[in-house]
Amino acid sequence: MENKAIIFISCGIFKEELEYLLGDKGLDWKIIYLEAALHVNFDRLKEALIEALEENKKTGTELKVLYGHCHPEIMAILEQYDAKKIHAGNCLEALVGPEEIMRLNNEGTAFFLSAGWVNNWEKMFALGKKDFNFDFKTMFDGYKRIIVFDTGIIPIDEEKVEKFSKFTNLPVERKPITLDYFFNLIEST
């Protein structure tokens, strides 16, 4: 039996990690990246996801979606295209697993950042402000700290981290991680 071609549709938040994995592991995955800030507007996310699924559905092709539960209808949407989604509630959980997120939160409730989040938070917050006039500062009241997941592979813009820390009024901690969990999660989908 012939293997199906796989097309990955991914949130742009994972772009740097995925591009690193492609080169490091010599993978020839076809990945379509959607804008990282789409999840701040469910209508835009749904539209972009359906468009990508429509454009890439082909007989003999398997669709895998690299998103968390970023839209309340995501599973119903994917079911229509027989697409599979990674088993993660959000992008940070996809990098380290739900158990690690819970463990770190038990030490002190944290807002987690990846390299993708560091690079995109200002754009995401600007879109949320524009579309919904949402004041993102209020969402950080319950947090004690920011944890930046650092692979040591993907450069993290220190100025953006500092700006995020000032914006949230929270201290920043670094958590070294590998991409092993993320890669195994994708492979098991």
Side-chain angles (χ1 to χ4, degrees):
M1 187 164 115
E2 191 177 313
N3 285 343
K4 285 184 173 185
I6 300 171
I7 296 175
F8 295 91
I9 299 170
S10 177
C11 178
I13 208 81
F14 294 128
K15 185 171 185 172
E16 292 179 272
E17 288 84 359
L18 289 167
E19 292 298 313
Y20 176 82
L21 287 171
L22 290 176
D24 184 59
K25 300 202 178 286
L27 304 169
D28 63 353
W29 292 349
K30 179 179 180 187
I31 305 172
I32 289 104
Y33 296 102
L34 301 183
E35 175 61 47
L38 286 171
H39 80 278
V40 300
N41 185 313
F42 287 155
D43 294 337
R44 287 188 190 156
L45 174 57
K46 183 177 182 178
E47 180 182 328
L49 186 56
I50 288 172
E51 183 179 315
L53 289 163
E54 278 291 330
E55 287 177 5
N56 292 287
K57 69 175 183 180
K58 298 174 186 121
T59 304
T61 300
E62 186 176 353
L63 296 172
K64 292 189 177 186
V65 176
L66 308 180
Y67 267 88
H69 294 298
C70 300
H71 191 284
E73 300 169 18
I74 195 164
M75 297 311 291
I77 294 166
L78 299 182
E79 192 175 294
Q80 295 172 24
Y81 296 90
D82 197 29
K84 296 178 183 171
K85 185 183 92 53
I86 56 172
H87 297 288
N90 59 53
C91 55
L92 290 308
E93 194 177 282
L95 292 175
V96 298
E99 296 83 9
E100 182 65 358
I101 295 290
M102 282 181 17
R103 185 188 73 73
L104 291 167
N105 271 327
N106 285 337
E107 294 174 359
T109 309
F111 189 87
F112 300 96
L113 296 176
S114 63
W117 252 96
V118 169
N119 292 334
N120 290 286
W121 76 269
E122 290 172 296
K123 185 175 186 177
M124 287 188 263
F125 288 8
L127 285 173
K129 179 81 170 158
K130 178 183 166 222
D131 289 349
F132 304 107
N133 198 28
F134 185 77
D135 179 11
F136 282 89
K137 283 190 176 201
T138 61
M139 72 182 256
F140 297 98
D141 291 345
Y143 293 100
K144 305 279 186 244
R145 61 196 174 142
I146 297 163
I147 295 180
V148 177
F149 291 137
D150 189 350
T151 62
I153 304 163
I154 299 156
I156 293 177
D157 186 326
E158 297 303 327
E159 287 181 29
K160 287 187 178 188
V161 171
E162 183 61 31
K163 194 171 182 180
F164 191 81
S165 177
K166 286 180 181 173
F167 179 82
T168 61
N169 201 30
L170 294 170
V172 176
E173 298 175 22
R174 284 268 206 256
K175 171 76 175 144
I177 65 166
T178 69
L179 292 177
D180 295 346
Y181 184 91
F182 184 51
F183 179 71
N184 291 331
L185 182 68
I186 296 167
E187 285 280 290
S188 68
T189 300

